[in-house]
Amino acid sequence: MTVPPERPAAARLAATGPIRRGAPSAATRLGSAGLAAIGISVALTLTVAALGPSIMEPALPGRPGQPPWSFTAHPSPYLAVALTAAAIVTGTTGLALSIYATLRGWRVQPRLILAAGIIGAIALALLPPFGSSDHLSYAAYGRMAITGHDPYTTTPAALARLGDPVAAAVQDWRTSPSVYGSLAVAGQALAARIGGGSVRLTVFVLSLLNLLAFVLTGLVLHWLGRGDPGRQLRAALLWIANPLMLLVLVAGAHLDSQAIMFAVAAVAVAVTGLATDRTAGRLRRQALIAAAAGALLGLGFAIKVTTALVGAGLAIGFLLAIRRGPVLVPHSPDGRSRLTGPAGPAGPDGPAEPADQSGAAWRQRATVLGGLTGGFVVVAAASLLPWGTAMFGPGLHAGSFTSIGSPWRLVRSGLRQLVGESAAETVVKAGAVLLAVALLVLLLRYFWSASDQLIAPGAFAVVFAWLLAWPYVLPWYDGLGWAMLALLPASRLDWLLLARTAALAIGYLPARATGIVVPGGLRWLETVVRTAITPAALLAVLIVAVVWLWPSTQPRTVTP
């Protein structure tokens, strides 16, 4: 596929709108304050993990001295929640200041931020996870795999009844089989094999796998910005040194990091391979590049099925890029290649027939989409061989949930009184799909008029539309959005995703329901914050997104 070439750094910055250059000292002060706040946030996150079991951090049974390591300070629920909330607030503030400072011309060596983020991630991986108890479920699924049980039909509670010590440690989701793909189960089985009957050691290996994925994603994003320090700095701030991602993904030990790694790798292959291949007649090479991107997405699908959203976004981005042109026509009458624009090749008498109707355009569509689909289908189908299609049952069931912190919760509760539980769920899911489609259209219109590249924006558009529209929300789900956003220039969308992730992180303090006793003085976190404030905040983000993206109000260029 032929798409417009990457423009020089100065031109790309111009596409984001003019950098607001104030006094250099002002930008420097903003950037320095932002980095200081990010550092405080990471230090607070490390402190919560290092204090040991608390309302935020489930205990990890295992032999003394095994990793991950922590103290056993038994902090009070008030202290643990306060420290975590402070980490979220300072991290959000620091990231906002840093982003704004870069728009005012502040620069710092990207490698320093990259290295600092990697060091912070490594430090967190050496400490016990906190924020939820999902990692205990991961460990149990691994035990199922190595003990001959089907993780898609067996529950942690059933395995615990057989005397398994790892499954007995599961708190939330005790009656839920795995909702993850077979590659995720393979990693969990590896951790279980190494950890044996120790929950602590098994969780540590899982944390290392997530750490590896998180760091590799940061390195790929850094590599994609080679030659453009501003782009590399943005990627580092939005991913590897993002204090919210360090808290909810790394400190939370969520396997979303592994799926995101494959998604970013797929976009990297697509953007660098297809956007730079401008040689006539290389349809076979284009097919192989697209197939490689599809295969990487298949691996991500084998971790978490929502990775397929990125594939849909890439396909849409490819189609839009081909429609915009120029299209390479490899077989012209004179034997030479010709580049055609959206209106076709220009001749002495003016433009020829539209390129979209030419055989070259259709061959490009078939080549790229066929390669992408073929690569994805082959790998995704292979991932079904160990356990079959049973993995889809629990996943589809979990996908029908409506979170307490979602704006859809109020809609579902009202409908349930009128039409019953089943009909209410159906209406909410249908409404979410329609909303996602409407948001996707708005986002694609926005990028069509504002961006010179459409492949990566297409992937972000699909992911962001899903995040805003879907009724099941958790803060670590936003990780996929942040990874895709780090591929794009600065825009208003930065502030929308920052506000959304911060609201969810505060709303799910903690994201645990079993094995904890919430004191009376903290119950307002669920009855007020999670139930009322978080849905209102997410609804506000949705409304602002629609207003900003509406065709009559959106700017011609992406502006901060």
Side-chain angles (χ1 to χ4, degrees):
M1 188 188 72
T2 304
V3 297
E6 275 292 322
R7 301 191 297 177
R12 283 201 304 274
L13 288 174
T16 69
I19 293 178
R20 299 185 179 92
R21 295 189 181 276
S25 59
T28 300
R29 286 196 299 270
L30 282 171
S32 299
L35 291 183
I38 289 174
I40 293 172
S41 173
V42 176
L44 290 169
T45 302
L46 289 166
T47 300
V48 176
L51 288 176
S54 67
I55 192 174
M56 295 297 304
E57 181 181 312
L60 299 178
R63 292 193 299 274
Q66 288 182 328
W69 299 282
S70 70
F71 300 103
T72 53
H74 301 293
S76 73
Y78 296 95
L79 177 61
V81 169
L83 289 173
T84 308
I88 295 169
V89 172
T90 55
T92 302
T93 303
L95 186 55
L97 289 174
S98 299
I99 293 173
Y100 187 67
T102 61
L103 297 175
R104 297 184 67 88
W106 171 69
R107 291 293 181 265
V108 67
Q109 282 292 332
R111 290 184 179 181
L112 295 178
I113 307 301
L114 178 71
I118 292 174
I119 292 172
I122 292 173
L124 286 170
L126 298 177
L127 299 169
F130 74 90
S132 80
S133 63
D134 285 5
H135 49 280
L136 300 178
S137 297
Y138 302 161
Y141 301 144
R143 287 288 290 181
M144 294 173 193
I146 68 171
T147 56
H149 296 84
D150 188 337
Y152 300 108
T153 58
T154 308
T155 66
L159 189 62
R161 286 194 294 269
L162 298 177
D164 188 273
V166 176
V170 175
Q171 296 179 358
D172 300 298
W173 310 107
R174 286 179 57 82
T175 59
S176 298
S178 176
V179 297
Y180 307 105
S182 59
L183 186 57
V185 173
Q188 292 159 359
L190 173 64
R193 183 73 67 184
I194 296 173
S198 171
V199 177
R200 177 172 290 273
L201 188 55
T202 302
V203 167
F204 178 65
V205 177
L206 290 170
S207 294
L208 292 182
L209 293 176
N210 295 331
L211 169 68
L212 178 63
F214 186 80
V215 171
L216 286 177
T217 300
L219 293 175
V220 170
L221 291 172
H222 182 80
W223 175 78
L224 285 171
R226 62 197 182 282
D228 186 347
R231 184 177 173 186
Q232 289 181 324
L233 176 59
R234 172 175 169 80
L237 289 171
L238 267 57
W239 182 255
I240 199 75
N242 184 331
L244 297 180
M245 293 297 96
L246 288 170
L247 193 155
V248 302
L249 272 182
V250 181
H254 291 286
L255 60 71
D256 298 64
S257 297
Q258 299 174 35
I260 291 169
M261 175 188 67
F262 289 115
V264 169
V267 177
V269 168
V271 170
T272 59
L274 295 174
T276 58
D277 183 12
R278 321 189 69 76
T279 307
R282 292 292 184 88
L283 291 181
R284 179 178 299 178
R285 182 174 185 272
Q286 292 179 0
L288 291 175
I289 292 171
L296 288 166
L297 289 169
L299 292 172
F301 175 86
I303 298 286
K304 200 168 182 180
V305 295
T306 48
T307 311
L309 293 169
V310 178
L314 286 180
I316 293 172
F318 291 146
L319 292 175
L320 290 177
I322 291 174
R323 180 176 180 82
R324 174 180 282 178
V327 174
L328 189 60
V329 182
H331 303 296
S332 58
D334 58 4
R336 297 180 180 180
S337 303
R338 295 177 296 163
L339 286 175
T340 71
D349 300 322
E353 68 181 54
D356 280 349
Q357 299 176 10
S358 70
W362 284 107
R363 282 194 295 273
Q364 284 186 318
R365 289 188 179 96
T367 297
V368 174
L369 295 185
L372 182 69
T373 303
F376 175 81
V377 168
V378 168
V379 176
S383 73
L384 299 178
L385 294 178
W387 308 103
T389 59
M391 60 172 283
F392 293 118
L396 291 173
H397 177 68
S400 67
F401 295 157
T402 302
S403 299
I404 297 176
S406 169
W408 286 106
R409 185 76 174 191
L410 181 61
V411 176
R412 180 177 174 274
S413 298
L415 288 173
R416 185 171 54 188
Q417 302 298 322
L418 297 174
V419 298
E421 182 77 26
S422 178
E425 288 184 359
T426 301
V427 172
V428 166
K429 283 189 286 189
V433 170
L434 292 176
L435 177 59
V437 171
L439 288 168
L440 177 59
V441 171
L442 290 176
L443 284 162
L444 292 176
R445 287 173 60 97
Y446 176 72
F447 286 121
W448 178 268
S449 65
S451 178
D452 61 328
Q453 297 293 326
L454 294 170
I455 298 177
F460 173 80
V462 173
V463 170
F464 195 49
W466 167 69
L467 289 174
L468 291 177
W470 205 246
Y472 193 60
V473 295
L474 287 168
W476 46 91
Y477 289 2
D478 282 10
L480 185 58
W482 281 105
M484 296 297 107
L485 187 64
L487 296 162
L488 309 182
S491 73
R492 293 173 169 180
L493 300 173
D494 296 358
W495 309 117
L496 292 176
L497 189 55
L498 180 59
R500 173 190 162 83
T501 306
L504 283 169
I506 288 289
Y508 283 87
L509 281 175
R512 299 176 62 195
T514 306
I516 60 173
V517 177
V518 180
L522 290 177
R523 289 176 185 166
W524 59 274
L525 288 172
E526 180 172 347
T527 59
V528 177
V529 177
R530 188 178 305 174
T531 304
I533 296 178
T534 299
L538 297 188
L539 181 60
V541 169
L542 173 62
I543 293 173
V544 172
V546 171
V547 171
W548 280 357
L549 295 170
W550 199 257
S552 61
T553 61
Q554 70 180 30
R556 180 64 185 174
T557 57
V558 182
T559 56

